[in-house]
Amino acid sequence: MAPPPVREGAPQPGSRPMRRSSSGCGVGSNAAATARGSASKAARGIPGGGIKMRLRERQLLEGLDKLDNKHTLEQGVDQVREVLAGLAGQTDLFWLLRVLFSERSLPCNPWGRREQLMLLPVVVCHFGRRIVTESVLKERLLPLLIASFACVRTSSAPDGGAIASGDGASQQAQALTVEVVGRVLGDIIEKLMVDDEEREDEQGDRAPLEGRFMEVCAAVCDTLLQPLQGSTGWDVAVRRKCVLVLAALVPLVLGKTPHRGQEPAVDAYLEGLAARLMQALAFAPWARAGLLQCLAHMAALRPDALQAHAARLTEVCAAHLVDTPSAAPAYAAADEAREVGGGARGAGELTRELALMCCLCVRHLAEDVARELPDEIGFLATYREVVQAGLSRDNLNLQRLVRSNELLRQAVARAWQAWQRSGASPAAA
């Protein structure tokens, strides 16, 4: 029996299928089909409906393909930037996000993923305030960055798909993604939270500072805190990365806040943010160091937001320094490590990082937060002995970690001096 005739233009058996664009037309389709599709789409006002936009889409897809190769990486970035320079308006913005950050365009290598994420600040700078007014930041960009923690597309996955972050092939990519997401969010905040003289909408009206902070900084913090809720479905690895990025961004966010009393809505939000961080300490023990780092920054930069939580935060930090078993030293034998460390490493132990954050918190509680309290003297007198027990040289649980760690030693000394200068004058350690 003779084989059926092969239709002209049909893919041959064993050949690689053509990569299809976001509008559904293959890059290599015939001119007649392209013309018919372009005419119908142009009539409906859909991006890519004209020959010019079809060429732009092809150029964008080719640029994304070049991100997978180190030798063509820079050329691919320049090609994507060239397409971006010719776009304007809401329709072009949504088309760009759909094509640039779709599942099919996810690079297979860590360096390609890095460059793709680093294009987000460029997109924000190009479209300006439209990113906020069209809810693109809150509904599209921020969820996209959080999702980048969960999976990375690699060539080892079936069909080039996504694999879990715990897979060995994506560990390098995930370690890089944490740093990149922090940089991307920092750049986005800097570009959207500009001075009043520079920030004007299309009608020439300047956005109020309160509105800018709630639209940008508050949206970023809320998105990073959302995975910490138990019903979100994110795994512990993603939640931990969100806390790490939040801890790195809190100083930048607090630096964008107006002075106390100028914007009541911002003051109320910061108080609510402090309450959410304190609540997270209770049900997220794997993120204690990062959460305490956020609270230490707040105590130093906006102490008024921690007035209601000063006593509880002091108790938590002192309890960690005294009661939480410290991590076993590296030179300890296995049996001794279990006895000293109180169990497996990483399971409810006092690490050097956690001890450092506790010392920073109690220091700023004495230097900054106590001054905002109605009864400063009473607060310091109440927790004098608690802090003394945690910072004393007699506390071997802490001193075991101070050895050969100059940064932690200085943090302990400065926390002790802060309580002495504030009126808490225990015997010299």
Side-chain angles (χ1 to χ4, degrees), residues 45-121:
I46 298 178
I51 298 298
K52 182 178 180 180
M53 288 303 298
R54 291 294 302 137
L55 294 177
R56 285 179 178 177
E57 185 166 355
R58 170 181 284 187
Q59 183 180 5
L60 181 59
L61 294 175
E62 291 176 352
L64 292 174
D65 285 337
K66 294 177 181 178
L67 296 182
D68 283 329
N69 192 325
K70 286 185 177 181
H71 301 288
T72 59
L73 185 63
E74 295 183 1
Q75 183 180 359
V77 173
D78 294 339
Q79 197 165 334
V80 174
R81 287 174 176 263
E82 182 179 352
V83 175
L84 177 62
L87 302 179
Q90 176 185 5
T91 305
D92 290 344
L93 172 60
F94 284 101
W95 170 82
L96 177 67
L97 295 177
R98 185 175 66 253
V99 178
L100 185 58
F101 299 102
S102 65
E103 181 67 21
R104 296 180 62 86
S105 61
L106 196 64
C108 300
N109 298 302
W111 56 83
R113 183 61 170 160
R114 172 189 174 93
E115 294 299 330
Q116 186 190 39
L117 293 178
M118 292 301 295
L119 288 171
L120 277 176

Side-chain angles (χ1 to χ4, degrees), residues 147-408:
S148 66
F149 289 145
C151 61
V152 171
R153 183 180 179 183
T154 65
S155 56
S156 61
D159 300 328
I163 62 177
S165 59
D167 193 286
S170 63
Q171 290 180 355
Q172 178 185 3
Q174 289 301 313
L176 185 63
T177 303
V178 175
E179 175 190 357
V180 173
V181 170
R183 288 186 55 187
V184 168
L185 288 175
D187 291 343
I188 289 177
I189 292 176
E190 290 287 359
K191 293 180 184 301
L192 294 179
M193 293 290 296
V194 294
D195 296 335
D196 287 341
E197 291 77 10
E198 302 176 10
R199 176 66 176 276
E200 296 183 357
D201 57 17
E202 297 178 353
Q203 289 75 28
D205 299 328
R206 292 169 183 167
L209 181 60
E210 174 184 345
R212 286 186 287 140
F213 180 87
M214 299 303 294
E215 290 172 345
V216 181
C217 297
V220 171
C221 294
D222 292 343
T223 303
L224 291 173
L225 281 174
Q226 185 178 5
L228 297 183
Q229 301 176 3
S231 60
T232 56
W234 295 110
D235 58 14
V236 175
V238 174
R239 300 178 185 183
R240 184 180 289 111
K241 292 169 186 175
C242 289
V243 174
L244 292 176
V245 174
L246 179 62
L249 291 178
V250 164
L252 176 62
V253 170
L254 296 179
K256 302 298 181 180
T257 60
H259 294 290
R260 178 185 178 185
Q262 291 185 352
E263 299 292 346
V266 175
D267 296 340
Y269 175 80
L270 293 179
E271 294 176 1
L273 178 61
R276 294 167 65 184
L277 293 173
M278 291 297 299
Q279 292 174 0
L281 283 175
F283 59 82
W286 37 264
R288 290 176 301 187
L291 294 172
L292 287 176
Q293 183 177 355
C294 298
L295 291 168
H297 287 310
M298 294 192 70
L301 301 176
R302 285 300 299 263
D304 54 289
L306 281 175
Q307 294 183 51
H309 312 284
R312 177 56 183 164
L313 183 58
T314 305
E315 295 173 355
V316 169
C317 293
H320 281 314
L321 295 176
V322 177
D323 299 330
T324 303
S326 59
Y331 57 81
D335 295 339
E336 182 183 355
R338 286 193 293 269
E339 181 181 354
V340 174
R345 295 183 63 84
E349 65 181 12
L350 180 66
T351 62
R352 285 176 170 173
E353 181 184 8
L354 179 58
L356 177 63
M357 295 304 113
C358 290
C359 292
L360 291 177
C361 283
V362 296
R363 171 192 171 186
H364 291 296
L365 283 168
E367 290 181 344
D368 304 302
V369 179
R371 300 176 182 177
E372 304 289 338
L373 301 177
D375 187 9
E376 175 184 359
I377 299 178
F379 167 77
L380 296 173
T382 301
Y383 293 99
R384 179 178 307 171
E385 296 183 0
V386 176
V387 175
Q388 176 186 13
L391 299 175
S392 173
R393 288 183 179 177
D394 296 333
N395 181 16
L396 299 181
N397 193 50
L398 174 63
Q399 294 303 318
R400 185 182 296 111
L401 303 177
V402 174
R403 182 180 304 174
S404 301
N405 193 296
E406 184 64 19
L407 182 62
L408 180 57

Side-chain angles (χ1 to χ4, degrees), residues 127-176:
F127 287 96
R129 182 163 172 75
R130 191 182 299 275
I131 295 291
V132 177
T133 57
E134 303 293 342
S135 301
V136 175
L137 176 66
K138 187 174 182 179
E139 298 179 2
R140 299 290 297 274
L141 299 188
L142 295 180
L144 173 68
L145 291 172
I146 300 301
S148 66
F149 289 145
C151 61
V152 171
R153 183 180 179 183
T154 65
S155 56
S156 61
D159 300 328
I163 62 177
S165 59
D167 193 286
S170 63
Q171 290 180 355
Q172 178 185 3
Q174 289 301 313
L176 185 63

